[in-house]
Amino acid sequence: MSGLIGKKIGMTSIFDENGKNIPCTVIEAGPCIVTQVRTKEVDGYEAVQLGFDDATEKSATKADQGHAKKAGTSVKRKVVEFKGFDEEYKLGDAITVEHFAEGEFVDVAGTSKGKGFQGVVKRHGFGGVGQATHGQHNRLRAPGSIGAASYPARVFKGMKMAGRMGGDTVKVQNLRVLKVVAEKNLLVVKGCVPGHKNAYVIIRK
């Protein structure tokens, strides 16, 4: 699936032609520079590697600097490979937000907000004990039993327990493109996308 790398700006809402208020996310999508072209003969598959958001020379490795120099561009903070582009691209070409059109549907992937170590009620939606009666003074949000008895004498893998929550790669599919603002490289999609403000997201169509 072809696409672009972007940066989540934040959420807002806009009114459609029927006066309905639609929640939406604003993404700064591109311009992305072609930093490498994968070919069947050399790499065994066809793809285009795109770079987004300039990095400082000081923070870049020599390998990254050489890689960017080949494409005649500056070092990029985020580099991702995409397949399925219809057009032929060369090193150094720029792909803008105009790759998308209003009304089409896109998939947006990003890293969800990290929540830290959370209990079973927040992490897995457990109901807790429910009542605070019958002498239960500290069990309201406890996980309860995690196994049987002397058989199987172990805790099954995948048991829902407390632990680290968030910070996972999450993809939200079929978000409608409401607006494309080409002069500001902005893409407005319906609904929410994973990640904090200024987090990198990958938009595919």
Side-chain angles (χ1 to χ4, degrees), residues 5 126-128:
I5 312 166
F126 282 22

Side-chain angles (χ1 to χ4, degrees), residues 11-98:
M11 288 196 73
T12 183
S13 61
I14 57 175
F15 290 95
D16 66 3
E17 59 276 4
N18 301 318
K20 192 176 179 185
N21 194 11
I22 301 174
C24 55
T25 306
V26 181
I27 302 170
E28 182 190 335
C32 293
I33 308 299
V34 177
T35 52
Q36 193 171 359
V37 178
R38 303 282 192 184
T39 59
K40 200 101 175 174
E41 300 78 51
V42 178
D43 306 290
Y45 66 100
E46 289 185 353
V48 174
Q49 188 191 83
L50 302 182
F52 174 71
D53 207 9
D54 294 339
T56 58
E57 291 286 317
K58 192 174 106 177
S59 65
T61 62
K62 284 276 205 264
D64 288 339
Q65 288 176 21
H67 189 69
K69 199 174 177 183
K70 267 188 187 175
T73 182
S74 58
V75 181
K76 302 298 177 186
R77 283 184 190 275
K78 186 76 174 169
V79 176
V80 180
E81 277 189 10
F82 293 88
K83 293 180 178 179
F85 277 105
D86 295 330
E87 303 85 7
E88 290 283 326
Y89 288 109
K90 302 189 295 296
L91 279 176
D93 285 355
I95 304 174
T96 65
V97 71
E98 289 170 302

